[in-house]
Amino acid sequence: MKKQASLLLAGMLLITSLSACGESPEPNTGEENGEHSSITLRNYMALPTTDPADTNETGVLTVNEQIYEGLYALNEAEGGYDKLLAKEVEISDDGTIYDITLQDGVKFHNGETMTSADVVFSYEHFMANSKYNTYTNMIVDVEAVDDTHVRITLDRPYSPILHTFYKVKILSQKEVESQGDEFGTVANLAGTGPYSWDLDAYKPTTSWTLNAFEDYWQGAPSIKTINYVVIEDDAAAVIALENGEIDWMTVPLANWDDIKNSGKFATDERQSNEIFFLSINWEASDILANDKVREAIAYAMDREAMNQIVCEGLGTVTNLYINPNYAEAAPTECDITYPHDVEKAKELLAEAGYPNGVDIGEIVVAAGRNEAYATVLQANLAEAGITAKLTALEYGAAVDRSAIQDFDLYVAYDSGNYDFNNFRQQAHSESVGIMTISFVGDKFDYKHFEELFAEGERLTNEEDRRAVYTELYNEVMATYCQLPMVVPPVCSAWNPDLNVVSVPTYYRVADWSWS
């Protein structure tokens, strides 16, 4: 897509700027006794929960990364997983039993020492929430052998288990139970991480503060305070960065060149581990149940226009839902391709019985950057004679509708996938509450999808797993129900006096320091 054509489509993007929802912080000097001791960060959304088992939203997970820890840590900087709260791990010959020795002397933020009872409690807590079913459904038992040893038993060999050990955070049983029904709605002292909630400064819709945990088992971090402020509006966030009111942020792509070339900031630009995608709900109507209509939608989509308009041309058009540069065993190619071809889309519509075009219903999307992709999509579809109403909702409302498949088309993003098995969130019948499309029924061979998922989980050789997952992925893509669009870049800028370890998604302030 030529830049000129992209600009014509850009004229169709009428996205209303939201006013900043946060209390603008005072300019942050970050100094105490002549030395930097604090940092101020933007969060683009309010916090709906402080319970790490009740969210899969990136804007919450990045905050949780500072507070809560799992048995393993995700090493985004170098790849793979590292032991964290697990000190030693022994695996049975059949790959179904994990005997775990816990780290010594780990304290929760409430001062209690972590024991195996807390691990058992935490796994049961996560397993009880459907949002984590896809990460925990293989676990049949978690047993406290003694205070420092835990045995986790699986119902089958499961190669991606380290991702589960990362995702499930260990919580203080005493803290959770003492808060009772309030847990998740207020700040807590249930974590083991390098930072703890400031109980008196928790205002989830506007701002919150995290304090360095001086009894942290790996040593207290050098940055003593993290001040988060909610700034929903990108333009307001950029102004705050330029004014020195925030110290680090992921920069909106529309502002990237100006920030990068200003000479005022340290910067980093890399391919993200995100994917923007389109879900087509084949169960929503007889029209969308028609295979040729869904294929026509795929060909009508101009993903390069999306890249130019939304990503300033810095993104990557892709047919791959999960990025093989980050995720183990992810397919590197796909047999199903759908280049932008309006005439092909019209031919398919005519073959489907709609030679004069068709109204397919509603495109549901979360307001903000997701909406920009949906606006381009709506214009693309109109060129092919496909009309659709665009409904932009508050983020949580959009997610709620997607979780129960209450939409015709749904534009969203996914991120943080580090093993291709995570794709089961979008293609496995057990992923209720997470998946946007259900393949259950007679139309698709969903049972074969699930047989291939099981085979990929059982194998240990990465290339063997990749071969199985490639077969699986081609079958799912042939449904034209889940259509990857664009991988955006992640562009970050920060105070040049701040030493940052740049990663695609889950930053850890404990790894940062002031010069």
Side-chain angles (χ1 to χ4, degrees):
M1 169 64 68
K2 299 287 188 185
K3 188 72 173 180
Q4 184 177 8
S6 298
L7 291 173
L8 290 174
L9 274 173
M12 301 175 186
L13 291 175
L14 300 176
I15 301 172
T16 303
S17 295
L18 300 173
S19 61
C21 185
E23 297 173 350
S24 208
E26 293 298 319
N28 175 42
T29 62
E31 294 186 3
E32 184 177 278
N33 298 324
E35 295 183 358
H36 285 291
S37 62
S38 67
I39 187 173
T40 300
L41 303 178
R42 174 230 187 165
N43 214 55
Y44 63 84
M45 63 178 289
L47 289 185
T49 181
T50 57
D51 180 358
D54 198 32
T55 184
N56 277 303
E57 298 169 0
T58 302
V60 185
L61 296 177
T62 50
V63 176
N64 288 348
E65 195 72 11
Q66 322 309 317
I67 302 165
Y68 307 104
E69 296 179 314
L71 295 172
Y72 273 70
L74 173 65
N75 188 337
E76 279 193 291
E78 299 176 5
Y81 301 85
D82 300 324
K83 295 185 186 72
L84 192 57
L85 297 181
K87 183 178 181 180
E88 297 175 1
V89 179
E90 295 183 4
I91 308 171
S92 64
D93 290 341
D94 67 356
T96 63
I97 298 175
Y98 287 74
D99 285 312
I100 299 170
T101 302
L102 302 177
Q103 296 284 0
D104 300 320
V106 175
K107 288 189 178 296
F108 291 108
H109 300 151
N110 63 1
E112 297 288 321
T113 300
M114 180 187 72
T115 71
S116 57
D118 296 298
V119 177
V120 173
F121 171 82
S122 301
Y123 270 77
E124 291 174 347
H125 180 68
F126 274 77
M127 291 164 69
N129 194 311
S130 63
K131 293 178 181 178
Y132 277 78
N133 178 63
T134 190
Y135 300 112
T136 61
N137 70 84
M138 75 298 300
I139 299 174
V140 294
D141 187 51
V142 183
E143 174 191 359
V145 178
D146 56 35
D147 280 353
T148 59
H149 293 83
V150 176
R151 172 170 289 181
I152 298 178
T153 303
L154 313 182
D155 64 3
R156 61 191 185 274
Y158 187 74
S159 293
I161 191 62
L162 295 188
H163 195 69
T164 295
F165 291 167
Y166 159 68
K167 291 291 287 185
V168 176
K169 306 306 183 185
I170 307 306
L171 305 173
S172 164
Q173 179 177 2
K174 181 177 181 179
E175 179 74 6
V176 175
E177 291 181 341
S178 69
Q179 289 198 348
D181 292 341
E182 285 194 325
F183 184 72
T185 67
V186 296
N188 62 69
L189 298 175
T192 65
Y195 291 92
S196 64
W197 296 105
D198 185 325
L199 302 183
D200 297 323
Y202 180 65
K203 302 173 184 176
T205 60
T206 57
S207 62
W208 54 89
T209 298
L210 307 182
N211 297 320
F213 183 39
E214 295 303 322
D215 288 333
Y216 181 52
W217 65 280
Q218 294 195 95
S222 64
I223 294 175
K224 297 304 179 184
T225 307
I226 308 174
N227 299 303
Y228 279 98
V229 60
V230 176
I231 309 177
E232 293 182 349
D233 180 51
D234 283 345
V238 170
I239 291 171
L241 177 70
E242 292 176 326
N243 289 344
E245 296 169 355
I246 56 178
D247 296 302
W248 175 94
M249 69 174 283
T250 299
V251 178
L253 298 179
N255 305 96
W256 179 236
D257 280 347
D258 289 342
I259 293 294
K260 182 174 62 173
N261 296 327
S262 70
K264 298 178 181 178
F265 305 99
T267 60
D268 181 75
E269 178 182 331
R270 65 181 65 205
Q271 190 178 71
S272 74
N273 193 14
E274 288 187 321
I275 179 67
F276 280 85
F277 65 97
L278 170 66
S279 294
I280 305 175
N281 187 3
W282 65 275
E283 295 180 296
S285 66
D286 290 341
I287 294 172
L288 294 177
N290 189 309
D291 296 343
K292 291 189 181 296
V293 171
R294 296 194 309 281
E295 188 174 358
I297 292 171
Y299 278 97
M301 233 181 357
D302 189 346
R303 295 175 294 164
E304 184 53 41
M306 295 177 183
N307 178 35
Q308 294 295 332
I309 294 170
V310 186
C311 297
E312 302 291 317
L314 299 173
T316 305
V317 171
T318 185
N319 298 322
L320 303 175
Y321 186 93
I322 291 184
N323 193 332
N325 294 325
Y326 292 113
E328 184 172 340
T332 56
E333 56 187 19
C334 178
D335 293 342
I336 306 301
T337 60
Y338 38 100
H340 178 53
D341 190 333
V342 174
E343 294 307 313
K344 174 75 170 176
K346 290 179 178 179
E347 290 173 12
L348 287 163
L349 282 182
E351 292 173 17
Y354 304 103
N356 298 318
V358 64
D359 188 327
I360 58 173
E362 181 183 34
I363 304 172
V364 174
V365 64
R369 62 176 185 159
N370 297 21
E371 188 179 356
Y373 289 92
T375 304
V376 179
L377 172 65
Q378 184 184 40
N380 296 158
L381 297 179
E383 285 187 79
I386 303 170
T387 57
K389 172 188 175 184
L390 196 157
T391 300
L393 303 172
E394 181 272 328
Y395 182 85
V399 170
D400 288 345
R401 285 188 60 176
S402 75
I404 58 173
Q405 291 80 54
D406 180 20
F407 61 87
D408 300 303
L409 272 62
Y410 180 62
V411 173
Y413 77 96
D414 195 0
S415 66
N417 292 303
Y418 289 89
D419 190 288
F420 186 77
N421 192 66
N422 281 19
F423 189 60
R424 68 180 285 130
Q425 297 175 39
Q426 297 295 358
H428 198 289
S429 62
E430 293 179 347
S431 299
V432 176
I434 302 176
M435 61 186 179
T436 56
I437 297 294
S438 172
F439 292 100
V440 176
D442 297 330
K443 187 171 181 62
F444 305 113
D445 192 359
Y446 79 96
K447 292 184 178 178
H448 190 241
F449 296 172
E450 296 180 5
E451 289 170 2
L452 291 172
F453 272 119
E455 180 68 7
E457 294 166 0
R458 182 186 63 80
L459 296 169
T460 57
N461 179 275
E462 182 174 5
E463 290 308 313
D464 292 343
R465 295 181 70 215
R466 193 188 319 278
V468 171
Y469 287 144
T470 299
E471 179 184 354
L472 164 65
Y473 188 63
N474 282 327
E475 289 187 15
V476 174
M477 287 293 290
T479 70
Y480 288 96
C481 290
Q482 294 285 23
L483 301 174
M485 300 189 304
V486 177
V487 176
V490 56
C491 300
S492 304
W494 59 91
N495 185 316
D497 291 333
L498 186 63
N499 301 311
V500 168
V501 178
S502 286
V503 294
T505 309
Y506 301 120
Y507 61 85
R508 281 177 56 88
V509 174
D511 296 332
W512 301 0
S513 63
W514 287 104
S515 297

